Amino acid sequence: MDLSVQGLNLRKTVGPAETTRLARLAEDLGFRGWWASDHVVLPSPATADVPMNPQDPILDPLVHLSFVAAVTERLQLGTAIVILPQRNPLVLAKQVASLDHLSGGRFALGVGAGYLEPEMTAVGVPMAERGARTDEYLDAMHALWTQPSPSFDGKFAKFANVDAHPKPAGQRIVVGGHSPAAYRRAVSRGHGWFGVAGSADDLRRSLDGLRKAADQVERPERLGRLRVHLVQSPTPPTRAEAEVYRELGVDELVLFPTEGAGPAEITREMEEFSKLG
């Protein structure tokens, strides 16, 4: 089971010096990956379903990961997750291909449909369309990346007689979410699924949802086996909890540092977490 870290592009670790130090520490500790979170805007004042205070800083994940790519050599980089319906798929496809190219193929695009209505409204995306847009945008980006003469004719994305280079080499897609639609999306369009669990029982329910989705939608052979990436929240896992996750088939266990922790506390949590491998 691989170990990784998420969420260091927000709150108290957004500065270049701390980002550089912690990213290099992650490599030194043998972490596989570094995942960046995403919110374009947050409701203000905060509502009960918002994970952050609107005054908390959060860096754009692709910009942040470009910086991390430049100061590391081995860390796999990923978004967990980009709220896909809020992004123009062709612009995002170009950003992804650029980051994948400059990082030497170390980037995985993690996507989700989002859930904050005020954020969707602010960027002009109808909440009711977010799932359909997510599926269609994934298909449109795949067409641009893989077709010799790219074209796409959908409800939300249409293009023809265009091309874009460089192409990412076998771009990895990871799908986040815990709804039946998210599970189907992971099975039909993702190389992996990214989830959050408070306990092993939470993970079992998600794995059951993924199994049900596999009976409902076809999985293209090119995607291979679905990898499972998991964050335990709100507290980092103990060794006993990590062993249960390993037995349940988690491929990558991801540390999300304790809310409110500063760089020194996060350093200690990363060092303790690295012992679970």
Side-chain angles (χ1 to χ4, degrees), residues 15-38:
E18 289 303 331
T19 299
T20 299
R21 185 182 68 79
L22 291 171
R24 289 175 175 167
L25 174 65
E27 281 200 326
D28 291 342
L29 292 173
F31 283 19
R32 179 182 187 273
W34 178 286
W35 297 86
S37 306
D38 182 37

Side-chain angles (χ1 to χ4, degrees), residues 51-261:
M52 296 177 63
N53 185 299
Q55 279 75 47
D56 287 340
I58 177 168
L59 302 180
D60 177 271
L62 295 167
V63 174
H64 168 82
L65 290 171
S66 296
F67 183 93
V68 174
V71 299
T72 58
E73 297 178 354
R74 301 179 303 279
L75 274 181
Q76 298 296 304
L77 312 169
T79 51
I81 47 73
V82 159
I83 305 169
L84 184 53
Q86 297 179 169
R87 308 272 178 154
N88 179 289
L90 295 188
V91 174
L92 181 61
K94 171 60 74 174
Q95 293 170 320
V96 167
S98 300
L99 179 49
D100 185 79
H101 181 74
L102 289 173
S103 67
R106 290 188 282 148
F107 179 66
L109 177 64
V111 303
Y115 68 97
L116 288 177
E117 184 277 329
E119 184 176 21
M120 293 283 179
T121 298
V123 298
V125 177
M127 189 74 172
E129 293 180 349
R130 68 192 190 283
R133 284 180 183 267
T134 299
D135 291 337
E136 189 170 298
Y137 287 0
L138 282 171
D139 294 343
M141 289 190 293
H142 181 71
L144 185 64
W145 288 331
T146 62
Q147 292 180 2
S149 300
S151 65
F152 190 82
D153 185 14
K155 179 179 178 181
F156 307 108
K158 297 178 186 289
F159 57 84
N161 303 315
V162 296
D163 207 345
H165 291 263
K167 306 283 188 183
Q171 182 59 53
R172 290 166 293 148
I173 301 295
V174 177
V175 175
H178 300 86
S179 68
Y183 297 141
R184 291 192 296 270
R185 187 173 298 122
V187 170
S188 61
R189 292 174 170 84
H191 296 86
W193 170 78
F194 197 105
V196 180
S199 67
D201 286 341
D202 289 343
L203 175 61
R204 290 186 181 97
R205 283 189 286 271
S206 291
L207 294 176
D208 185 56
L210 289 166
R211 283 190 288 269
K212 290 179 180 177
D215 292 332
Q216 298 169 350
V217 296
E218 182 179 354
R219 181 167 180 79
E221 186 176 346
R222 64 178 174 81
L223 295 175
R225 182 182 66 84
L226 184 72
R227 284 176 56 87
V228 175
H229 312 260
L230 185 75
V231 169
Q232 177 173 292
S233 179
T235 59
T238 64
R239 178 172 293 279
E241 289 169 330
E243 286 304 317
V244 173
Y245 292 137
R246 190 195 311 270
E247 292 169 4
L248 288 173
V250 171
D251 294 284
E252 183 176 24
L253 189 59
V254 183
L255 169 68
F256 200 109
T258 303
E259 183 176 350

Side-chain angles (χ1 to χ4, degrees), residues 12 21 255 257-258 260-271:
K12 297 181 180 181
R21 185 182 68 79
L255 169 68
T258 303
E265 293 86 355
I266 290 171
T267 296
R268 288 192 290 271
E269 289 190 357
M270 290 174 63
E271 290 171 345

